[in-house]
Amino acid sequence: FGPFAHFRTNASWEAVKNLTHDTFENENIKLDIRQLSVDYNFVTETIPPILREKNPSLCIYVGVHGAARTILLESRAFATGYTLPDVSGHCPPENCCLDKDGPSELCTNLNLKAVADRVNESFVNRMVGLSDDPGRFLCGFTYYMSLKLAKCPSVFIHVPNTDICDSNTATKVLKVIIPLLIDQVRNLKGTQET
């Protein structure tokens, strides 16, 4: 995500932009890295076509969480409650994502606890925690949209501000998280095909 409110430099973009395609070349992973505007209309107009046209195997979104003390793997997102205005000063129609009559919440089908446990084994400090509330702003809105529309697993990762976790450290942690998520997706596909 890009800048918003008092986040003139968004820690999530600083971490993600350091990821490159060659980072994962030995693992046959292709990344499509994009900075999303903190704007409900932008997300609504951008995410559905990407999901349709790119047909990804996994969707990973990364945003900043101003109160986080660790990197957080978000397990669910909510349909309603989006009352905070975006960078354009707007909220989504009826303060909801997609359809107010849809499920009130959606959850990822990935085992985020297993990912957090494995990542935390790789670092001296406990770097990754779990959360079941991505908030009711663009992070939660985007995550709900992806969980609802994507034909693949989705996950949202919150990173702390750079004064808690610098962008190089956040990037290193993402480099450990991403292959673990991909392994789970590959295992899910293998299970579904048998």
Side-chain angles (χ1 to χ4, degrees), residues 17-90:
K17 75 179 184 183
N18 291 325
L19 297 171
T20 59
H21 299 285
D22 61 341
T23 302
F24 303 103
E25 84 181 31
N26 293 332
E27 301 180 50
N28 196 23
I29 296 171
K30 294 182 182 176
L31 302 177
D32 183 352
I33 298 171
R34 298 170 189 240
Q35 184 181 53
L36 300 177
S37 177
V38 182
D39 183 294
Y40 294 108
N41 286 332
F42 178 87
V43 168
T44 301
E45 293 169 3
T46 303
I47 296 297
I50 291 171
L51 295 175
R52 276 192 311 273
E53 295 162 17
K54 295 285 186 177
N55 194 25
S57 300
L58 170 66
C59 294
I60 302 172
Y61 303 91
V62 183
V64 65
H65 188 306
R69 307 306 289 170
T70 63
I71 293 171
L72 298 171
L73 303 178
E74 301 289 352
S75 62
R76 66 180 176 167
F78 303 94
T80 61
Y82 297 99
T83 59
L84 292 174
D86 61 20
V87 295
S88 299
H90 300 105

Side-chain angles (χ1 to χ4, degrees), residues 78-118:
F78 303 94
T80 61
Y82 297 99
T83 59
L84 292 174
D86 61 20
V87 295
S88 299
H90 300 105
C91 292
E94 301 186 55
N95 301 322
C96 74
C97 183
L98 298 175
D99 176 8
K100 68 177 178 162
D101 298 322
S104 63
E105 65 182 58
L106 294 171
C107 298
T108 186
N109 62 343
L110 298 172
N111 183 344
L112 300 181
K113 183 180 181 326
V115 172
D117 289 347
R118 288 279 307 276

Side-chain angles (χ1 to χ4, degrees), residues 177-190:
I177 291 172
I178 292 170
L180 294 171
L181 292 170
I182 298 263
D183 286 347
Q184 281 195 28
V185 170
R186 288 177 177 156
N187 289 335
L188 284 172
K189 283 185 178 182

